[in-house]
Every structure is written in C-alpha cells, then in structure tokens.
Amino acid sequence: MPHWKRSVATVCLSGTLPDKLEAAAAAGFDAVEIFENDLLTYEGTAAEAGRLCSDLGLEVALFQPFRDFEAMPEPQRARNLDRAERKFDTMHQLGARMVLVCSNVQAAALPEPERAADDLREMAERAARRGLLVGYEALAWGTRVNRWRQAWEIVQRADHPALGLILDSFHTLCLGDDLSGLTEAVPAEKLFFVQLADAPRLSMDPLSWSRHHRSFPGQGELPVGAFLRDVLAAGYRGPLSLEIFNDEFRSAPARRIARDGLRGLIWAEEAAGVTELPASPVLSGVEFVEFAVDATAAEELGAFLGTLGFRLAGRHRSKAVTLHRNGDVNLVLNAEPDSAASERFEQHGPCVCAMGFRVDDPGRALARAEALLSPTFRERTGEGERRIPAVRAPDGTLVYLIEATETATRRIWEDDFHLEPPPAADAPEPGRFGGVDHVAQALTADMMDSFSLFYRAVFGLEPNQAWELPDPYGLVRSRAFTGGHGSVRLPLNTSESGRTGTGRFVSAFAGAGVHHIAFCTADAAAATEAAAERGAPLLDIPGNYYEDLGARLGLDGETLAELRRHHLLFDRGDPAGGGGAFRHAYTLPFQDRFFFEVAERTGGYDGFGAANAGARMAAQQRPQRR
Ligand SMILES: O=C(O)c1ccc(O)c(O)c1
Ligand SMILES: [Mg+2]
C-alpha cells in the first residue's frame, strides 16, 4: 500500500453531497476535499456532512476554497479575517483540519508581497489557535500571485507553522511552468497539500481552461506524472488529491467518474515511478470482433459479411455462435440466449459486444486491469471449452485477452468450434483481409474521457492527434488510440450534434458502440472489386471528391478513374510522420447501424484518412442506391 492517502475533491463529481461522498467511498478513495459550494447546497449541517464522511471511511483532507483573502485594503482586510473565523467554525464541525486559500483574483489586491504575508500570517495564527492549518495556492490567473514560487515567497515571508504551500498540477503546468527547484526551495514540512489535474492542450485563457476542461491524470496531455514525481521527490507525504472542474464530469454518473479518477491517480503514480503495476500487455492485434445478434440478425449479418468475402468457418460446439472468416480476420456472431451477448442484443439490437486482443500474457494483462479497477469477466463455458478472460470496457462491452502464441496455432478456435475445412491453399482470394486494421467507436461526449483512460492505462495504448471532422450536420471529434506497433488501432468519435452520423448512431442505439470496422488488405482495388461482384453495398463517392484529389495530390486522370471505379478514397501520409499512402473504401451501413471499411496501407502510412472523412460522411448522409 502506498504511504499517501488518495483523495478526490467533491467538485469532480455530480449529484448532491451524499451522492458525491458515496461515489468517492465506493471507488476506494481514502479522503475528500469538501468544496464549499457542495456544503452550501447540502441540506444537513456541516457536522452531519462530517459524520457522513466518517461513516463512509473518508477523511476530510481539505476544505476549499477560501477566496480573495490576502493583500486587500481595509476595510476589506478586517472583513476577510472575520469571514475566515466563520469558516473555521464550519471546518471544526466538518472535521476538516486544513483550508485552501487560493491567490487573490481581485483587481484591488495590493502588489506588495509583505501585505499578503502579513494577512496570511494573521489568518494562520488564528487557525493555529483552533488547531487548524492554512494552505496557500497560486491560481494561474491570480492578480498578483500565479506561480508556485510567488506563493512560496509569501508563505516563507509569513513564516508561521500553521501556514504552508499548496501545489496544483494544473496551475503550474498550464503556464508551461514545472517544479524544478522545489526540493531545494521548499522544506517538505511546508508542502501542505497537493492537487492533481490533467487537461488537453488548448489555447485559451487559463481561467476558462481550468474551469471547464480539466481532466483526470492520463486523460489529458500535461506531464502530470513528472509533476507527481517531483512532488514526492521533495518529500511530500500528504494526500494526493484530484481536483477536476469539467463540464462532462458534472453531468456523468458519479460512480463511473469517481472510479475513472482513482484509475487516473494510480496511473499517474505508475508514471511517476512510485507505484508498481503489472506491466501493460504487449499487443499484437485484434484476434476477433464479436457481434451480438439473434437468429434473424445472424442470418442477415452473415449474408452481408458474405459479400465482403467472409465465409462461414465454424460453429460453436455448445452455443448458438458462428465464426466467419476472410483471411486472418475472425468475426464471431453470437446469438446464444442468456449470455453477455444476448444482454447486449436485448438493449441495443445487433451490435459489437466484444473484441479480442492478442496479448503476450493474459494473466498479467488481467492483473493490470484489476489493479486499475477495471472489472474482469469470465463467461460460463461448456465441458472442455476454454475460458477466455475478459476485461469490461467502460460501456460494459468486453475485451477478451488471448495469448498471442495460441492464436498463431489457432488453438483457441479449434477448442470451441467445429471448424469447416479451410479454402484450398491455391484458391484465389482477391483482396484477402490480412487483419483488423481499426475498430472505430462512437461515444457519447461524456464517455470519451472514460474510454481514453481505459485504453491508455489498462492497455498502454497511446493517444494520437485529435481531429475535428466535418459531417454535413455537425462536427465529429475523433482521436485514435493505438499500440502494438500499429496492430491495434481504435479511433474514438463523439459528436455534440445529434444529427451527424456519429450522433445519430449514439442516440438511436442507446449509447456507445462500435461504429465501423476496417479490414486491412494488400490490394484494396481487388478487395472492392470482388466485394462488388458479390453484391456488397459499397459507398459511392461523388466526382467532386476525385477532382479535388487530383488537384491536391497531383494524381493523373487514369489513377483517379481507377480509384473512383473501385469506390476508393485516397490519402498520402505527412512526410514528417513517415509518409506512405492509404487507399480505402466503405460499405453502406448494416441495418443503418455499423459499417465496414477496406483499408490498404503502404509505405508506413499511419493515419486513418482524416482528410477524406468529410467526403465520406457527406456520402453516408446521402440516400444511396443499393
Ligand atoms: O477555479 C477556482 O476558483 C479554483 C478554486 C480552488 C482551487 O484549488 C483551484 O485550483 C481553482
Ligand atoms: Mg487547486
């Protein structure tokens, strides 16, 4: 067990104060920061709130914030000291020992550090008489104080044992600052409290950035792990506390967000090198994708897949499950009643209910998932069938963990399925699929951070560049998570508009889900030609797209005609990012739900054809002839 307490500020979570506290306790936090507003809107007394915390096993590590206190001219100064006394009463009832004073943001704040120091010394003296402590934090937008070194100068000048420094990763990192020199400058006993928050890199003023876009460690792009390492290296031993102001978190279920928070904190501890977890799995591809279906949908989806060259390759030994293969791609259609798949089908209709990742060591991957608070799952199995361990994604879908060496020998399929004889070695397989290129998911906006942390922390996938893709009816935000040397690629998409393809999918089918699956091939033209011959419904791309493509990339007429004839979109990689080229085509959706893509990467192309997304989404919104 770590020697620090793990804490969360109530402002991170949705609901009433009791909702927030219950969620924090259920996730496994040891302590909370009580955000004053959450107490003001609570119907009980401060003493009752304190009792609720202790009944739930939560220490009240901090009461916050106390604003606009220091360096004010009279009569405000005297009034602020009275206000502090009143809040000390509240803290006493609440059982909170420390109050956070954030740096003054009033225009009237006086510039002299000695005035700030005098006021904080007076406040600390009054706090000390009541056995309380005062921590001083630099807000990145404070009028006179916005860096930790300035706050420390004032704390040092005040020189009172009940006054110390509070560090908040957001305020430091958002200004491009860091903690270098902390160990030399600040004695460990003067580091009173540490708050952790991550955030995406945005160019906006720190106040708006902080109040709306903070996220848990691992969900953003700030070096929170290094910040934490520096704090602990300086000898800090108090609580590590998450303080996130985020519009999505405020409306999302408190229990999921609290669990994400603790997962992010544990991930940050690992990144800082102070908590050891089972190592991330070494990924080597998507072994299968599983669809929840019923008998009718199995029939229809099987036929749809047939047009893409998938043949029925096996039937499960004991369940209503079939295996469909094209080359090295395995798709499983699961119509078994009373299964994880049927639960999913009842709620969502035909949809992807599971994926299988090839990993080096499923046991270690499972142990890592558990250490990061991800629920695991073991399906009931028949005699002699194997039980493949799985991790539950934030939306309840399953990620199975399959040992890579076993997939090479196909053991996992032989054990559970009556397999059909494979096609003859010399049978032509034009545009044969070499694997799953990527699996794209459409998520509600509030699920984006949950999923990104899940893939990043549990599976070690790395976030790629974020894109804003223009659907005719709104923007789609997209960010892919990739790993295993490009063998696992998972774009995550959200859209605030309910009318985009992504938005309609999410709202029509009750939440998150796989929106499309791309198969890789060495010859996309051969694959689409064969698919078209089998009657596959391929997406038509308008002529303007090809004209623009010719102008942008200097392709000749013959090449353009060939692309168009095969329904192919084309992209070239950024030479700085490895270059290469990408040819890809899409099917129409299956029952207006998910669709498939054929993808041909050459020369180290590492993207997803984002430049083509606008044309593709416009074509998808247009009625197409079948
Ligand atoms: O946005 C704020 O006002 C605010 C208040 C208290 C904090 O600890 C903080 O980091 C920000
Ligand atoms: Mg803070």
Side-chain angles (χ1 to χ4, degrees), residues 454-501:
F454 171 71
Y455 287 131
R456 191 177 188 189
V458 175
F459 292 102
L461 297 181
E462 285 296 327
N464 297 15
Q465 180 187 354
W467 295 91
E468 283 181 351
L469 308 173
D471 183 285
Y473 300 105
L475 282 183
V476 174
R477 289 175 207 287
S478 179
R479 188 194 283 280
F481 286 75
T482 59
H485 302 285
S487 64
V488 174
R489 301 176 189 262
L490 307 174
L492 303 181
N493 300 330
T494 67
S495 176
E496 268 159 39
S497 160
R499 296 175 64 216
T500 59

Side-chain angles (χ1 to χ4, degrees), residues 64-65 67 100 137 139 141 168 171 195 211 214 243 245:
Q64 73 126 324
R67 296 183 192 277
L100 174 147
E137 173 195 50
L139 292 184
W141 54 93
D168 178 323
H171 296 299
Q195 296 173 320
R211 292 267 172 91
R214 287 189 183 209
E243 189 204 34
F245 308 85

Side-chain angles (χ1 to χ4, degrees), residues 112-133:
E112 298 83 20
E114 53 273 24
R115 270 299 318 277
D118 286 348
D119 295 349
L120 284 162
R121 185 186 311 108
E122 177 62 26
M123 183 173 176
E125 177 55 30
R126 294 179 185 212
R129 277 184 223 138
R130 310 178 60 161
L132 303 176
L133 298 170

Side-chain angles (χ1 to χ4, degrees), residues 386-400:
R386 70 178 47 217
R387 177 165 290 193
I388 305 174
V391 181
R392 265 195 204 279
D395 66 344
T397 56
L398 296 172
V399 178
Y400 286 98

Side-chain angles (χ1 to χ4, degrees), residues 33 88 98 104 106 114 172 182 192 216 230 235 242 251 289 303 324 327 341 379 406 466 474 476-478 550 579 616:
E33 297 177 32
F88 293 158
M98 192 185 299
N104 199 328
Q106 296 298 311
E114 53 273 24
T172 297
L182 182 72
F192 270 19
F216 291 129
D230 292 347
L242 301 166
S251 62
V289 179
H324 302 252
E379 184 115 38
E406 289 200 304
V476 174
R477 289 175 207 287
S478 179
R616 185 255 297 174

